[in-house]
Amino acid sequence: MNFKAHIRDVPDFPAPGIVFKDITTLLEHPEAFRAAADALLAFADGLEVDKVVGIESRGFFFAPLLARELGAGFIPARKPGKLPRRTQRQDYELEYGTDALELHAESISPGDKVLVHDDVLATGGTARALCDLVTALGGQVVQCNFLIELTFLGGRQKLEGLPLKALVRY
């Protein structure tokens, strides 16, 4: 399937000069949504996965589906102040500013094998922060997977040494 045909560019969002990759157009198309989920699941073929961590907010579209199919738990990585229990936090830089992610401190157990999922790999700051959080909590990142990789922003270099898969590359 040509996934790029189902992803819309939105110029100057969320800030001037950014071309946002809108995946809601893919999600609205049942066949594309199903095919993307199946392809992302195939990336994990043969992996032992205890937990799938999805990054707020667009990582939440596929990560729970992957967790369900892999027989793993789903863990949401949220912006600060959104989780109700004790959290662990990691700050990071975006291509257009700074932010932070939090996980429930007890959501990852020592030795857990973790699949990290997000919609887009851009500069790699968000995914790197999450991988650092998983490691700090005692987990092992077994793979990072993404719907989209923006290769021109070099995010793959921030995740060097980690298995990484992306369905679509720009």
Side-chain angles (χ1 to χ4, degrees), residues 108-109 111-115 134-135 138-143:
I108 304 285
S109 299
D112 276 349
K113 292 174 177 48
V114 178
L115 172 69
V134 167
T135 301
Q140 174 193 357
V141 176
V142 295
Q143 185 168 285

Side-chain angles (χ1 to χ4, degrees), residues 62-129:
F62 288 101
L65 298 172
L66 295 171
R68 180 180 180 274
E69 293 301 315
L70 293 169
F74 166 67
I75 299 170
R78 305 282 324 257
K79 304 295 183 193
K82 301 289 186 179
L83 294 171
R85 300 187 314 265
R86 185 173 61 88
T87 61
Q88 187 144 333
R89 175 186 171 126
Q90 182 70 42
D91 295 320
Y92 62 96
E93 291 187 21
L94 297 164
E95 63 184 292
Y96 48 84
T98 61
D99 214 335
L101 284 176
E102 293 181 343
L103 293 177
H104 280 129
E106 73 282 355
S107 63
I108 304 285
S109 299
D112 276 349
K113 292 174 177 48
V114 178
L115 172 69
V116 169
H117 173 75
D118 202 5
D119 63 320
V120 176
L121 174 61
T123 65
T126 306
R128 178 81 259 167

Side-chain angles (χ1 to χ4, degrees), residues 8-77:
R8 178 179 35 197
D9 285 348
V10 180
D12 298 320
F13 183 82
I18 304 294
V19 178
F20 184 79
K21 298 297 184 190
D22 179 14
I23 66 168
T24 62
T25 48
L26 180 142
L27 300 171
E28 292 166 0
H29 189 278
E31 288 177 25
F33 187 20
R34 185 177 309 108
D38 289 346
L40 290 167
L41 182 61
F43 286 163
D45 190 40
L47 291 179
E48 185 180 331
V49 177
D50 300 307
K51 308 275 175 67
V52 176
V53 180
I55 300 174
E56 183 174 342
S57 68
R58 296 188 318 164
F60 292 176
F61 297 134
F62 288 101
L65 298 172
L66 295 171
R68 180 180 180 274
E69 293 301 315
L70 293 169
F74 166 67
I75 299 170

